[in-house]
Amino acid sequence: MKKVITSCSVVIVLLASCSPATEKKGDKVVSTEIKKDTVPPSGPVNDNISKPDISGDLSALVPIDVLNSKSTDGYEKYGIEFSGNCYSCDLASLSITKDKMIWTNVCDDKDTFKIDDFSFSTEGNKTILKTSERTYVITQIDKAPVYELVIEGKKLELNNKRISRYFTTKKAVSLFKEHDCGDFEG
């Protein structure tokens, strides 16, 4: 009888060690270890943060002026400035890409002034360009498209290139009210 009880006890112990409940405990340990390995590390995960691009509209800005301040239509309110384009021919157009700002005389495309060292950011309808001496804030103020330029800091003085307060894109300039230069060379 002792042999039977001992044999049965050994069989029960062996069966108990092979029971599904024991396997589940083993699975829990394994799955807990897997979860520990898949927990992401703390801190920044993505080091590849892309710098925003400057709007393509700013690559060719043409100076304009307020012609009819009472008008609510942007194409009627703003237009080509007669004096700077026809008479004195001293206005500057502006081209901005992510690595250059180029001021160009409207009557002489070889008369330029370039700025290479600047940073930029965009905030809604504003583009902010910063150099060591000044900050340029270009804000789209009308869907026409009309941009207002505000320069903060040291005054920017350019030879034969007067800076306008308002600009539009080169593509849209033909849609604005235009003065005829008549006999002038501009």
Side-chain angles (χ1 to χ4, degrees), residues 64-147:
I64 56 176
D65 200 14
V66 176
L67 299 181
N68 181 2
S69 60
K70 294 179 182 177
S71 178
T72 57
D73 179 8
Y75 296 109
E76 294 286 325
K77 183 176 183 176
Y78 300 94
I80 307 303
E81 182 189 327
F82 177 80
S83 172
N85 281 294
C86 300
Y87 180 66
S88 59
C89 209
D90 65 347
L91 281 174
S93 62
L94 176 60
S95 173
I96 303 170
T97 61
K98 64 181 176 182
D99 58 352
K100 282 185 190 155
M101 271 193 291
I102 303 172
W103 299 94
T104 307
N105 181 291
V106 293
C107 297
D108 182 6
D109 60 354
K110 293 179 183 168
D111 184 4
T112 63
F113 177 77
K114 295 179 185 176
I115 301 172
D116 294 323
D117 189 23
F118 66 92
S119 63
F120 70 90
S121 62
T122 55
E123 299 173 2
N125 62 342
K126 288 184 180 184
T127 300
I128 302 164
L129 305 127
K130 291 185 179 186
T131 66
S132 59
E133 298 177 335
R134 56 193 70 82
T135 300
Y136 304 84
V137 180
I138 301 171
T139 307
Q140 185 170 1
I141 58 171
D142 194 293
K143 63 181 178 179
V146 175
Y147 296 90

Side-chain angles (χ1 to χ4, degrees), residues 2-185:
K2 278 184 171 182
K3 282 186 175 183
V4 173
I5 294 176
T6 308
S7 297
C8 284
S9 297
V10 171
V11 170
I12 291 175
V13 171
L14 287 174
L15 288 175
S17 67
C18 294
S19 75
T22 306
E23 288 178 17
K24 287 183 181 176
K25 285 183 183 177
D27 286 345
K28 287 183 183 176
V29 171
V30 172
S31 66
T32 305
E33 288 177 14
I34 291 171
K35 287 181 183 176
K36 286 181 182 176
D37 290 341
T38 59
V39 173
S42 62
V45 175
N46 187 1
D47 291 337
N48 299 330
I49 299 172
S50 62
K51 191 174 181 181
D53 285 334
I54 289 184
S55 169
D57 287 348
L58 302 182
S59 66
L61 293 175
V62 178
I64 56 176
D65 200 14
V66 176
L67 299 181
N68 181 2
S69 60
K70 294 179 182 177
S71 178
T72 57
D73 179 8
Y75 296 109
E76 294 286 325
K77 183 176 183 176
Y78 300 94
I80 307 303
E81 182 189 327
F82 177 80
S83 172
N85 281 294
C86 300
Y87 180 66
S88 59
C89 209
D90 65 347
L91 281 174
S93 62
L94 176 60
S95 173
I96 303 170
T97 61
K98 64 181 176 182
D99 58 352
K100 282 185 190 155
M101 271 193 291
I102 303 172
W103 299 94
T104 307
N105 181 291
V106 293
C107 297
D108 182 6
D109 60 354
K110 293 179 183 168
D111 184 4
T112 63
F113 177 77
K114 295 179 185 176
I115 301 172
D116 294 323
D117 189 23
F118 66 92
S119 63
F120 70 90
S121 62
T122 55
E123 299 173 2
N125 62 342
K126 288 184 180 184
T127 300
I128 302 164
L129 305 127
K130 291 185 179 186
T131 66
S132 59
E133 298 177 335
R134 56 193 70 82
T135 300
Y136 304 84
V137 180
I138 301 171
T139 307
Q140 185 170 1
I141 58 171
D142 194 293
K143 63 181 178 179
V146 175
Y147 296 90
E148 180 179 28
L149 171 66
V150 176
I151 301 174
E152 302 166 351
K154 187 176 177 184
K155 185 174 180 179
L156 179 63
E157 299 205 23
L158 303 173
N159 187 25
N160 204 30
K161 290 176 277 307
R162 182 169 48 95
I163 299 170
S164 179
R165 181 174 181 176
Y166 303 102
F167 290 87
T168 190
T169 62
K170 192 171 189 174
K171 290 185 243 178
V173 74
S174 62
L175 302 172
F176 287 87
K177 194 170 186 179
E178 188 173 340
H179 287 286
D180 184 10
C181 288
D183 293 336
F184 291 99
E185 296 292 320

